[in-house]
Amino acid sequence: MQNKKISFKIISDSFPTLERPIKQYDAHCVTYLIHNNKQLYIGESSNLRSRFKDHNKSKDDHKLKSSQIIISDYFNKSAVYDIETKLINFMFADNKFELINRKTKQSSHQYFMKREINEHVFRGIWKELMKRGLAQNDLDSLENSSLFKYSPYKEFSEEQLKAVESIIKAITEPTEETLIHFDGSSLKRRKIKNSPGKGFVIEGAPGTGKSLLVIKLIQDLIKTYGVDLSIAVCIPQTSLRSTFKRLLRQAKLKVKIIKPIDMSKDIKNKYDLLIVDEAHRLKQYFGRQAKDLKHLNKGEFNELDFARKKSKNLILMYDSEQTVRPADIPKETIKKQNFKTFKLSQQFRVLSNGDYLKFIKSLLQMNDSKPAPSQIGGYNLKLIDCPQGLHDLIKAHEKEVGLSRMCSGYFIKWKSKKQPTFLDFKDIGLKAKWNSTLEGWVNKAFSVNEVGCIHTLQGVDLNYAGVIIGDDIYYDPNEDKIKVNTENYKDINGTPILGTDMNDTQLTEYIKNIYYVLLTRGIHGTYIYVRDKNLRAYLQKYIS
């Protein structure tokens, strides 16, 4: 039965009264769409007529008149739930309708024939919806979009849901007013507590869904619980700000997107909730960047100080192993805040059956464990002999699936910043230059011909990553140790001041963190070119 083709049909009907006397409505589990020309609700049910009556009880002023019911003899409750969840996320990314769903407890699950439903049936459903004018973009292009990757309707892990629910309960309290949503659920509207504000840290490695939880938390506060509050999201990474603005606009969430420097302005006007994404990139004063850090008054403040002063409640999305410069706030400063911490461990980005992140940390000697090749877990991880061959491979994947990019550590000077036509990497046999922009670089068509630095890629998913490990690090076979070559590290703002970093301990941490981030961007695969021959030989022992 696993190989049997699953047939389905989509029946058009009205809402709230079903006009067609079709028996399948009462005998099947179905997924359905209720819509007009602007708004859309997606649901699933094993008793459709009763479910439509529930929707009609809602106090929401939605003028939805039409419905599409997806039916199959093979659909069970798990299947229609899965189709519903996928439709919600793809419809959100498709951006044709305003989605009025308010699902709050999505969690992933397995069921019989899930692969067939996901790979074949859902594609057929989507093609039919496109024919009917209810969808406008193909699934492959949507899957690479930021709206899809950061959709607040994703399936969430139990630890993610626990973090969101705990924070909402900690900073809000129920009122006497009852909200009845379009999905038929009822709950008490909540409001911000008058008690002293709270501080939280959501800590997790790359790919554990920290940035995604920002959108989810805001969605639940505003749309699910109807909380009236002022929210700002601080995005230290220039490359991510436009993405978040678009996401929040599509989700119809009124939230301010701010830069870290904005937190130092108008301190008395506090936000009810301030969320800092990529909080490991908040700044402390560092002399070499004095021009950009004037708001820190020569070290009297750091940006975390301003975040606390500017907020009644503060949430930091944080990973201590993604600090890459001396100006980045150290983990000791974060720990001193004594904020309640939620740790995320489940990894959603890299398609590996093992513990790929642990493998990379061990490989880079960021912990005391020896790398175990079994931890790669079938992930497509390969060493490539030359940089141009690496680039050709990435270009091929770009044509095939899109969102495939080159990236590198900072071992080559960025001459093209002042000479736009200069090919920064030509001396190592690669006809390419550094990224020509920071904001939105990954999604630019020309970026496949360039090489991204760390500042373009933190918080970003790629389908395939081509990573150049430069000779800013090397392997010492006599000591069995990865070391840094300070002369070959070209980021002046990334180098500790002379005499402050004994044995290059800090710089080693920063450079390893950079390569750790770059080597954990690819969803389907990561290809590596290594400059230092001893380091290449060391990596070859663990990467087949």
Side-chain angles (χ1 to χ4, degrees):
M1 185 173 179
Q2 189 76 24
N3 297 321
K4 188 175 181 68
K5 185 179 170 107
I6 299 176
S7 60
F8 69 90
K9 55 186 173 182
I10 301 178
I11 302 168
S12 296
D13 210 321
S14 59
F15 176 81
T17 302
L18 289 164
E19 295 182 349
R20 300 184 69 173
I22 299 176
K23 291 183 179 180
Q24 288 101 318
Y25 288 168
D26 302 315
H28 284 73
C29 294
V30 303
T31 304
Y32 58 89
L33 297 80
I34 305 173
H35 62 95
N36 55 27
N37 290 331
K38 295 181 178 180
Q39 294 178 312
L40 171 69
Y41 178 87
I42 300 166
E44 55 81 20
S45 179
S46 57
N47 190 335
L48 187 66
R49 296 181 192 278
S50 175
R51 192 79 181 104
F52 272 28
K53 290 178 182 178
D54 290 337
H55 288 313
N56 207 29
K57 296 175 185 175
S58 168
K59 294 179 181 178
D60 294 347
D61 187 24
H62 298 301
K63 298 177 181 178
L64 308 182
K65 301 295 183 185
S66 302
S67 64
Q68 312 291 326
I69 297 93
I70 306 166
I71 288 179
S72 171
D73 289 334
Y74 296 96
F75 288 173
N76 56 26
K77 189 69 173 175
S78 293
V80 296
Y81 176 88
D82 198 20
I83 294 169
E84 175 203 36
T85 301
K86 289 174 72 68
L87 275 176
I88 289 171
N89 283 291
F90 278 106
M91 282 295 188
F92 177 81
D94 194 48
N95 204 9
K96 180 177 175 65
F97 293 94
E98 175 193 348
L99 214 57
I100 63 172
N101 286 74
R102 290 185 176 88
K103 291 188 74 173
T104 62
K105 295 188 180 296
Q106 306 94 311
S107 58
S108 57
H109 56 286
Q110 296 294 324
Y111 61 90
F112 183 60
M113 297 191 79
K114 181 171 184 173
R115 183 175 178 179
E116 174 69 16
I117 295 289
N118 277 281
E119 293 183 3
H120 303 293
V121 177
F122 187 78
R123 286 188 173 273
I125 290 171
W126 191 262
K127 286 180 181 178
E128 181 59 30
L129 292 176
M130 289 184 72
K131 286 181 185 177
R132 299 185 183 201
L134 295 171
Q136 54 191 1
N137 296 290
D138 66 87
L139 290 177
D140 292 332
S141 62
L142 290 174
E143 205 159 11
N144 284 336
S145 71
S146 55
L147 282 177
F148 180 78
K149 292 180 185 298
Y150 292 103
S151 164
Y153 302 103
K154 289 278 186 181
E155 292 182 312
F156 291 89
S157 67
E158 289 301 320
E159 61 186 4
Q160 287 176 312
L161 293 173
K162 180 180 177 181
V164 169
E165 291 169 6
S166 297
I167 290 171
I168 289 175
K169 287 180 180 178
I171 68 174
T172 68
E173 58 189 3
T175 67
E176 294 302 314
E177 183 183 354
T178 299
L179 298 173
I180 301 177
H181 292 309
F182 187 78
D183 61 10
S185 64
S186 63
L187 44 78
K188 293 292 185 182
R189 182 188 293 274
R190 300 184 74 90
K191 66 178 181 179
I192 285 288
K193 289 181 179 177
N194 290 324
S195 56
K198 309 273 186 182
F200 307 91
V201 175
I202 296 181
E203 186 174 358
T208 52
K210 298 183 296 297
S211 297
L212 180 58
L213 274 196
V214 174
I215 309 296
K216 167 69 174 170
L217 179 63
I218 295 170
Q219 169 97 348
D220 283 1
L221 280 167
I222 295 176
K223 289 197 169 182
T224 300
Y225 291 104
V227 183
D228 182 12
L229 78 169
S230 57
I231 304 179
V233 178
C234 177
I235 313 285
Q237 291 294 90
T238 303
S239 57
L240 290 178
R241 278 185 216 125
S242 59
T243 297
F244 266 82
K245 285 179 181 177
R246 188 171 173 229
L247 279 165
L248 293 166
R249 184 168 58 248
Q250 164 64 0
K252 300 292 187 292
L253 297 170
K254 293 184 179 179
V255 177
K256 287 193 81 172
I257 300 295
I258 62 174
K259 298 174 287 188
I261 194 173
D262 297 330
M263 298 187 297
S264 65
K265 303 171 184 176
D266 193 16
I267 290 294
K268 292 182 180 179
N269 187 16
K270 295 176 180 282
Y271 296 108
D272 292 317
L273 176 61
L274 173 60
I275 305 173
V276 183
D277 193 40
E278 305 284 338
H280 35 269
R281 300 310 311 275
L282 289 177
K283 298 290 180 277
Q284 62 181 355
Y285 187 76
F286 181 58
R288 287 205 185 106
Q289 290 184 260
K291 183 179 178 182
D292 299 321
L293 302 175
K294 291 179 181 178
H295 58 296
L296 302 183
N297 199 24
K298 295 185 177 180
E300 182 181 355
F301 308 105
N302 59 48
E303 289 180 340
L304 181 55
D305 294 330
F306 289 124
R308 296 200 68 163
K309 291 178 181 180
K310 189 66 177 172
S311 61
K312 295 177 183 176
N313 298 282
L314 176 62
I315 303 173
L316 306 177
M317 319 303 285
Y318 182 71
D319 180 4
S320 64
E321 288 165 336
Q322 291 195 54
T323 56
V324 297
R325 280 179 166 177
D328 293 344
I329 282 184
K331 55 189 172 187
E332 292 77 16
T333 303
I334 301 292
K335 286 181 179 178
K336 285 179 184 177
Q337 310 305 311
N338 290 321
F339 287 169
K340 182 175 177 58
T341 300
F342 299 92
K343 293 194 175 182
L344 305 179
S345 59
Q346 188 171 339
Q347 206 279 135
F348 295 95
R349 177 182 293 140
V350 177
L351 295 180
S352 162
N353 296 320
D355 194 342
Y356 175 76
L357 268 62
K358 185 177 180 180
F359 173 78
I360 292 299
K361 288 170 73 172
S362 300
L363 192 70
L364 293 173
Q365 299 181 348
M366 296 171 69
N367 57 32
D368 296 328
S369 302
K370 285 284 186 184
S374 61
Q375 293 173 331
I376 298 174
Y379 180 67
N380 190 357
L381 180 67
K382 294 180 181 177
L383 291 171
I384 306 300
D385 292 335
C386 69
Q388 192 60 54
L390 177 65
H391 200 185
D392 291 344
L393 194 56
I394 289 300
K395 285 181 176 179
H397 280 304
E398 173 67 13
K399 285 184 179 179
E400 182 185 1
V401 296
L403 213 57
S404 301
R405 300 291 179 267
M406 293 282 288
C407 54
S408 174
Y410 208 165
F411 72 103
I412 283 180
K413 287 184 179 179
W414 191 0
K415 293 183 180 179
S416 61
K417 191 171 187 178
K418 294 183 178 179
Q419 305 172 48
T421 60
F422 187 82
L423 300 177
D424 300 294
F425 291 82
K426 66 178 182 179
D427 288 345
I428 69 164
L430 176 62
K431 297 178 181 179
K433 65 178 183 177
W434 281 112
N435 49 276
S436 54
T437 184
L438 278 178
E439 188 162 356
W441 175 79
V442 160
N443 296 310
K444 306 287 187 186
F446 57 75
S447 62
V448 71
N449 298 312
E450 299 179 350
V451 180
C453 70
I454 180 66
H455 307 297
T456 64
L457 290 167
Q458 276 188 306
V460 169
D461 293 351
L462 299 174
N463 284 324
Y464 289 89
V467 182
I468 300 173
I469 298 182
D471 42 22
D472 48 349
I473 61 173
Y474 67 98
Y475 177 71
D476 183 343
N478 295 320
E479 296 186 31
D480 185 27
K481 190 174 182 180
I482 295 175
K483 298 180 179 180
V484 299
N485 187 330
T486 55
E487 291 183 2
N488 290 340
Y489 189 56
K490 305 303 182 183
D491 184 3
I492 296 175
N493 292 332
T495 306
I497 293 173
L498 188 65
T500 64
D501 186 19
M502 299 302 293
N503 302 316
D504 296 323
T505 302
Q506 267 191 302
L507 183 60
T508 300
E509 181 180 323
Y510 295 145
I511 295 176
K512 285 184 177 182
N513 283 354
I514 287 171
Y515 285 117
Y516 173 59
V517 171
L518 299 182
L519 290 167
T520 55
R521 298 301 95 191
I523 297 170
H524 301 286
T526 298
Y527 306 118
I528 309 168
Y529 166 71
V530 187
R531 290 279 292 162
D532 178 68
K533 65 178 183 180
N534 288 330
L535 182 58
R536 191 183 316 145
Y538 161 77
L539 296 184
Q540 281 175 333
K541 292 192 297 183
Y542 303 104
I543 303 173
S544 60

